[in-house]
Amino acid sequence: MRVIVAATNEQLGVLKLPDALRKAQSLGLDLVEVAPNADPPVCRIIDFGKFRYQLAKQEKDKKQPAGKLKEIKFRVNIDPHDYHTKIRRSEEFLDRGNKLKVQLQFRGREMAHQELGMGLMAKVKEDLGTMAQVEMEPKLMGKSINMTLSPLPANKRKRKFEPHTDEELKALEAHGNSSDGEH
């Protein structure tokens, strides 16, 4: 049986299996099959322990959390322009793969009209529906309503609102709104 053999930085070519094994033993390393379905199979002369460690490390890197948790705060009587600005900002957070906590705060007599708050949260959920899925439904906690959204897979995300222009982003950064996402 013939195999394609590659050492650390050089390709040794197509060798017979016993020759490849002898070459690996002479170098004090292992012959590892990296592409068994290829014709002929591809093998590498490497330290097998190090190879397994690197594979485990790659698996660990894949399992890292999707992103940070960003927070957007609303009020019940928010101006439409402010609402659109916050929704566009939310889309940017979700587009980067961050989870989003949406918080609607009530003050004073606003607590008497919780249905307005729930309506606003429903509108947020609908507007961000093409970018995220609801992880935690809107829930009243004290004087605020909280909802958590997690981003959809990158190929399923579709922005509903125009992204910020460079000038708008610079203005937001100057205002202190871009880095923490809590305004």
Side-chain angles (χ1 to χ4, degrees):
M1 177 182 195
R2 292 186 167 277
V3 292
I4 297 176
V5 180
T8 311
N9 291 328
E10 60 188 72
Q11 183 158 346
L12 299 176
V14 180
L15 300 175
K16 289 184 179 177
L17 189 56
D19 295 337
L21 285 169
R22 258 189 252 111
K23 180 74 173 171
Q25 286 176 345
S26 70
L27 294 172
L29 298 171
D30 302 305
L31 185 68
V32 179
E33 192 174 34
V34 291
N37 297 332
D39 187 32
V42 179
C43 298
R44 293 188 78 190
I45 296 175
I46 53 175
D47 181 7
F48 187 65
K50 186 177 178 182
F51 178 72
R52 284 184 45 203
Y53 170 75
Q54 287 176 340
L55 282 178
K57 194 173 171 183
Q58 287 174 355
E59 284 296 317
K60 183 181 170 193
D61 288 344
K62 287 181 186 175
K63 294 180 183 177
Q64 290 296 324
K68 296 179 183 176
L69 178 68
K70 297 289 187 170
E71 187 172 303
I72 296 286
K73 292 183 181 178
F74 288 93
R75 294 283 314 271
V76 177
N77 54 356
I78 188 168
D79 184 69
H81 180 265
D82 292 340
Y83 173 81
H84 286 293
T85 302
K86 287 184 184 251
I87 290 294
R88 286 188 348 203
R89 195 75 179 135
S90 300
E91 282 185 339
E92 289 174 20
F93 290 146
L94 292 167
D95 205 26
R96 291 187 194 130
N98 296 315
K99 286 187 177 185
L100 184 70
K101 179 180 176 185
V102 181
Q103 184 177 32
L104 186 133
Q105 292 181 318
F106 292 107
R107 287 196 194 144
R109 294 182 189 173
E110 292 175 352
M111 283 298 289
H113 298 286
Q114 294 175 11
E115 70 280 357
L116 295 175
M118 285 298 191
L120 183 63
M121 291 300 263
K123 183 178 177 188
V124 169
K125 186 170 27 170
E126 179 188 326
D127 286 343
L128 294 176
T130 58
M131 292 291 292
Q133 60 191 13
V134 178
E135 195 172 276
M136 186 184 87
E137 289 292 331
K139 190 185 331 181
L140 182 67
M141 295 179 176
K143 290 189 172 189
S144 66
I145 298 175
N146 295 317
M147 173 173 65
T148 307
L149 303 170
S150 57
L152 290 172
N155 58 349
K156 293 185 179 181
R157 292 182 206 150
K158 184 172 179 254
R159 291 186 81 131
K160 201 170 183 180
F161 299 93
E162 292 292 317
H164 286 290
T165 62
D166 291 336
E167 295 84 33
E168 289 173 324
L169 286 173
K170 287 178 186 173
L172 284 171
E173 287 173 5
H175 190 262
N177 194 12
S178 75
S179 62
D180 59 358
E182 295 183 9
H183 296 291

